[in-house]
Amino acid sequence: MEEYQKFFRIGQYTDSEAMTGCTVILCEDGVTGGVSVRGGSPNTRDTDALKSENNRRFVHGVTLSGGSAFGLAANAGVVDFLEKNKIGRDMGITFIPNVVGASLFDLRMGRSDVRPDYQAGYQACQAAFAGQVFQAGNFGAGTGCSVGTINGPQNAMKGGIGLQTMRHGNLWVTAVIAVNAVGDVYDETVGEIIAGARKVGEKRIGFSEEIFLEHYQNEAALFDGNTVIGCVMTNATFPKAKMNKLADLSHNGIARAIRPSHTTYDGDTLFVLGANEIEASFEAVSILAVEAVRQAIVKGTKAATTYGDYLAYHDSQSKE
């Protein structure tokens, strides 16, 4: 059992025909939450409640979904599941779960008319409580993910969802990231781009930054419909303001793994959840969080499988 499972449950709903899905992170006892939105095209639910000056004390669930604006409907299924299981704020008349979420654009892959909905969110919660083993790649919110979309879908590659836990002593940080970027995925451990924009007749992959620069006077020509979303969990204890700062710093993991990152065409959003188990320095947790996000992006990309024109990392290696 991984450390995060002491406090958190992760469940995924996957529609492999429509190529969409959702991933839920549940914490029935409630944990301290934070959020940071760095991308220019976010699609989120209830993020204002996580602002340091507002009254939201605890979070009971995070929903990461495909489906763009339509995919936010999956949150309703998560809220209802938690209420039926008496998880949330006990108001006497009922339990009100605090559920936040973000969605990414995956409508160009599979079926655009099928998106994660109430049932998808509810079933992801059922999977979480049934002890579903996390699967990376084309699963959950990562099902319809793509990367390097700036040169069109026919020249893009397949993204996915990944999970990485970093440890130091009794401190741990776990990141779950759905990789759906307009830019390319860079693996700094090998010093190369592993997935991204392609060009016809070129063996090399990873032209996103070059294409951005080529179109510096024609922004309308660039490709939209992306977004990297994720959740960072830790057993460290911090107040809400520090959790929001940790969410902000965790985006450095995206910046290290996506080139370019946080563009106008991405809605990059990271949630952070703290289980309040141990005391730890903020700097130590930040270091682990950034690396967990970076590695989760790389792992999710490498675990993805080809769908149509969206070539996966492993298939691109075999063609070299």
Side-chain angles (χ1 to χ4, degrees), residues 2 11 37 56 69 75 90 108 115 123 138-139 185 205 236 253 256 259 262 270-271 277 279 297 300-301 307 315:
E2 286 214 40
V37 179
R56 179 65 52 82
N75 287 275
D90 186 355
R108 288 193 177 89
R115 306 96 177 212
Q123 289 180 40
N138 296 15
F139 296 94
V185 178
I205 60 175
R256 283 168 55 183
R259 296 186 172 183
H262 307 121
L270 290 180
F271 297 97
E277 181 187 35
E279 297 291 334
I297 290 171
T301 303
Y307 180 84
D315 290 328

Side-chain angles (χ1 to χ4, degrees), residues 218-268:
N218 185 20
E219 194 171 14
L222 302 181
F223 203 75
D224 58 3
N226 310 281
T227 296
V228 175
I229 55 177
C231 182
V232 176
M233 298 158 273
T234 180
N235 63 336
T237 302
F238 293 122
K240 192 175 176 182
K242 280 290 190 181
M243 294 302 289
N244 278 299
K245 184 62 176 176
L246 181 61
D248 202 36
L249 290 176
S250 295
H251 273 275
N252 291 342
I254 296 179
R256 283 168 55 183
I258 304 291
R259 296 186 172 183
S261 60
H262 307 121
T263 74
T264 305
Y265 311 95
D266 293 289
D268 300 340

Side-chain angles (χ1 to χ4, degrees), residues 11-287:
Q12 303 200 92
Y13 168 84
T14 302
D15 186 333
S16 298
E17 178 184 354
M19 290 304 288
T20 192
C22 64
T23 302
V24 298
I25 298 94
L26 307 178
C27 30
E28 51 260 48
D29 294 330
V31 294
T32 308
V35 66
S36 176
V37 179
R38 288 276 192 93
S41 302
N43 208 351
T44 59
R45 168 199 161 104
D46 220 8
T47 50
D48 277 353
L50 295 180
K51 288 182 178 179
S52 302
E53 67 270 23
N54 290 335
N55 194 38
R56 179 65 52 82
R57 290 189 61 200
F58 298 112
V59 175
H60 303 96
V62 173
T63 309
L64 308 174
S65 68
S68 190
F70 309 103
L72 292 177
N75 287 275
V78 178
V79 170
D80 276 10
F81 177 92
L82 295 178
E83 182 197 21
K84 289 177 181 178
N85 286 274
K86 297 183 177 181
I87 297 170
R89 291 176 289 153
D90 186 355
M91 306 299 291
I93 53 174
T94 190
F95 288 79
I96 301 181
N98 294 327
V99 179
V100 296
S103 65
L104 54 81
F105 186 99
D106 59 2
L107 302 182
R108 288 193 177 89
M109 196 176 299
R111 291 181 55 182
S112 63
D113 62 335
V114 178
R115 306 96 177 212
D117 55 10
Y118 174 99
Q119 289 299 327
Y122 200 94
Q123 289 180 40
C125 292
Q126 290 178 318
F129 272 76
Q132 182 187 62
V133 177
F134 180 86
Q135 291 180 284
N138 296 15
F139 296 94
T143 305
C145 283
S146 57
V147 297
T149 58
I150 191 172
N151 205 26
Q154 71 279 7
N155 296 308
M157 290 183 67
K158 189 70 181 66
I161 194 167
L163 180 150
Q164 177 65 36
T165 297
M166 303 300 299
R167 307 169 182 86
H168 188 81
N170 61 350
L171 170 66
W172 56 262
V173 177
T174 298
V176 177
I177 309 293
V179 189
N180 193 60
V182 68
D184 308 321
V185 178
Y186 177 78
D187 183 358
E188 64 183 37
T189 60
V190 295
E192 63 183 34
I193 291 172
I194 61 171
R198 297 175 290 156
K199 286 186 177 181
V200 176
E202 295 275 0
K203 290 185 178 181
R204 180 169 68 90
I205 60 175
F207 293 90
S208 292
E209 291 185 329
E210 293 177 24
I211 295 172
F212 266 107
L213 293 173
E214 288 172 7
H215 292 279
Y216 78 101
Q217 289 185 309
N218 185 20
E219 194 171 14
L222 302 181
F223 203 75
D224 58 3
N226 310 281
T227 296
V228 175
I229 55 177
C231 182
V232 176
M233 298 158 273
T234 180
N235 63 336
T237 302
F238 293 122
K240 192 175 176 182
K242 280 290 190 181
M243 294 302 289
N244 278 299
K245 184 62 176 176
L246 181 61
D248 202 36
L249 290 176
S250 295
H251 273 275
N252 291 342
I254 296 179
R256 283 168 55 183
I258 304 291
R259 296 186 172 183
S261 60
H262 307 121
T263 74
T264 305
Y265 311 95
D266 293 289
D268 300 340
T269 301
L270 290 180
F271 297 97
V272 172
L273 304 176
N276 302 310
E277 181 187 35
I278 68 168
E279 297 291 334
S281 78
F282 184 76
E283 286 69 26
V285 179
S286 299
I287 290 168

